[in-house]
Amino acid sequence: MASLLPLELRDVSFVARGRTILDRVSMRLDAGSRTFVLGPNGAGKSVLLRVMHGLIAPTSGEVRWSAVEAPGAPRRQAMVFQRPVMFRRSALGNLRLALAIAGVPASERERRARAALERVGLVSISHQPARVLSGGEQQRLALARAWMLEPEVLFLDEPTANLDPGATREIERIVGAIHAAGTKIVMVTHNLGQAQRLADEILFIHDGRLAERSAAADFFRKPATAEAVAYLEGELPWRPSAAA
């Protein structure tokens, strides 16, 4: 089966209510590296992920995957949101339903659902209603739901927002495991420490434009644009000066 990647965006713009949210964004995403999307609030980061995932269509420009997903076949890309949607059933039932929707044979669903819960450390709460789980547990369940379908690409929109440090570390562990299993990670975060720990490359979005793209280490050590310098200085007041 041909790979979905690379993904190419060609002069992609998105306009809503007269406001330009994405402005002629062009890029190519290849397999392998963990790509993190950074930028100030309102820069267009979440909209960019939704356009790439196909949830919204660009106003102009083109989003092109290397291969076309077959209609009715299981999706080969997935997205996990800041506030995951939980079905009105148990944690295990959420996974069974997702497998059923994806067309996985009934004989395989129980095994795959339980294996997914094991991978994210949620076996002990498998029969609890998903909607009463903690925020961190719901996010781990959402990651399990995406991971068990073995996507080639996983888009993550601030999956650790509003989580405590312990829950954040667990989400980071799972994201790392998903990447190690061969899935391309594209993730939005406002946690710059997290980006420094996990990212291979940075896409810096400013006013709807792709203002900078670089290796993560280069971005944090010596950003190439004035916008990125200002962003890092505002978000990282402890960042040492160039003279230090």
Side-chain angles (χ1 to χ4, degrees):
M1 182 182 297
S3 173
L4 286 178
L5 294 168
L7 167 64
E8 291 188 73
L9 275 64
R10 300 176 181 175
D11 289 324
V12 166
S13 294
F14 182 77
V15 179
R17 297 179 180 176
R19 178 188 166 211
T20 298
I21 298 174
L22 296 178
D23 186 8
R24 294 164 293 173
V25 174
S26 294
M27 70 174 78
R28 169 178 163 144
L29 294 181
D30 292 293
S33 60
R34 291 163 295 186
T35 299
F36 273 54
V37 184
L38 303 181
N41 287 329
K45 304 180 298 297
S46 294
V47 171
L48 177 64
L49 254 62
R50 284 162 171 77
V51 166
M52 289 192 286
H53 184 48
L55 285 177
I56 56 178
T59 304
S60 62
E62 184 179 15
V63 178
R64 176 177 291 182
W65 294 92
S66 183
V68 178
E69 293 182 284
R75 295 295 308 272
R76 294 164 61 191
Q77 49 149 320
M79 186 163 176
V80 171
F81 300 90
Q82 180 178 337
R83 294 181 179 84
V85 176
M86 296 286 110
F87 300 123
R88 199 180 295 274
R89 55 194 65 207
S90 69
L92 183 61
N94 265 259
L95 301 189
R96 289 197 201 104
L97 179 57
L99 289 167
I101 292 171
V104 174
S107 59
E108 297 182 23
R109 293 173 199 162
E110 188 75 14
R111 175 188 61 79
R112 287 180 61 170
R114 290 188 179 276
L117 288 175
E118 179 73 33
R119 285 198 296 259
V120 300
L122 293 180
V123 172
S124 64
I125 56 88
S126 61
H127 294 294
Q128 290 187 25
R131 293 187 175 184
V132 304
L133 301 179
S134 70
E137 289 169 337
Q138 287 192 3
Q139 199 61 278
R140 284 154 65 189
L141 184 59
L143 287 168
R145 196 165 58 191
W147 191 8
M148 70 182 179
L149 298 176
E150 301 176 346
E152 285 188 47
V153 184
L154 178 59
F155 297 106
L156 301 164
D157 191 2
E158 296 191 64
T160 60
N162 304 316
L163 298 184
D164 63 40
T168 294
R169 284 194 299 272
E170 185 61 17
I171 296 300
E172 290 181 1
R173 178 194 70 80
I174 295 167
V175 170
I178 294 172
H179 174 256
T183 295
K184 165 78 174 183
I185 299 295
V186 184
M187 179 167 162
V188 168
T189 185
H190 279 289
N191 184 331
L192 298 188
Q194 181 176 78
Q196 288 178 305
R197 289 190 295 274
L198 299 183
D200 297 309
E201 70 167 351
I202 300 296
L203 305 178
F204 177 65
I205 307 297
H206 188 271
D207 286 341
R209 296 176 294 106
L210 178 58
E212 185 169 342
R213 180 178 189 174
S214 63
D218 294 337
F219 180 81
F220 286 106
R221 182 175 62 249
K222 192 175 181 180
T225 63
E227 293 92 344
V229 170
Y231 171 73
L232 290 175
E233 287 179 348
E235 294 293 329
L236 293 176
W238 47 266
R239 187 169 179 263
S241 68

